[in-house]
Amino acid sequence: MSDKAPVNNPQLRQLDFLARLMDNQFKVPGTNFRFGLDAIIGLIPGAGDLSTFGISTFMLFVMVKNGASGFVLARMILNVLIDTIIGAIPLVGDLFDIGFKSNTRNMRLMREHYVEGRHKGGAWKVILPVLILFGALFAGVIWLIYTFVRYLYHQFG
């Protein structure tokens, strides 16, 4: 366990409370189905997703302040980005928010990091594959745009 951020740290306990509030606070009666404010706030187009992104980002800053490794932070940032990007899609994103629970995932990563000593090291193990994936997606989009423009040029030019 890291000396800089013990598990009984009040800030980390507050983050745990915030993660539960955002992802699992409410339960549908008679089921095990749980959801939080993330799913409710996310229903407000634009502002809701921006608000939940802000809360998740605040949680990341607290983790940085408490000495989380680059590797665990990169994984947490990836969780937040996935939640934000897919969560911004109308209707589909709202359902995704209910199931993905990025704040709960990040708190699990935090516990594994501080209690079990996992997820140590640099961020490149996460960042490099993500950059390669985004680069491939970007190249694919550019190719599709080029192909579409070429098609239009041949049809109407």
Side-chain angles (χ1 to χ4, degrees), residues 10-60:
Q11 286 184 318
L12 298 180
R13 283 197 315 267
Q14 290 170 346
L15 288 186
D16 199 36
F17 169 77
L18 188 56
R20 275 194 312 275
L21 180 67
M22 293 303 292
D23 292 341
N24 294 310
Q25 183 65 35
F26 308 106
K27 182 178 178 183
V28 175
T31 70
N32 288 328
F33 183 73
R34 300 190 74 83
F35 63 98
L37 290 179
D38 190 3
I40 296 169
I41 296 170
L43 292 172
I44 304 167
D49 294 318
L50 187 59
S51 298
T52 58
F53 175 74
I55 292 168
S56 295
T57 302
F58 165 75
M59 293 176 73
L60 289 171

Side-chain angles (χ1 to χ4, degrees), residues 16 19 24 63 72 75-76 79 99-116 118-119:
D16 199 36
N24 294 310
M63 297 302 296
V72 76
R75 290 190 58 188
M76 289 177 171
N79 284 338
F100 188 67
K101 302 178 189 288
S102 68
N103 298 308
T104 301
R105 289 172 183 261
N106 285 348
M107 291 310 294
R108 185 175 338 114
L109 285 169
M110 183 274 303
R111 276 187 218 90
E112 291 171 352
H113 177 70
Y114 290 123
V115 176
E116 300 170 18
R118 296 175 59 195
H119 312 298

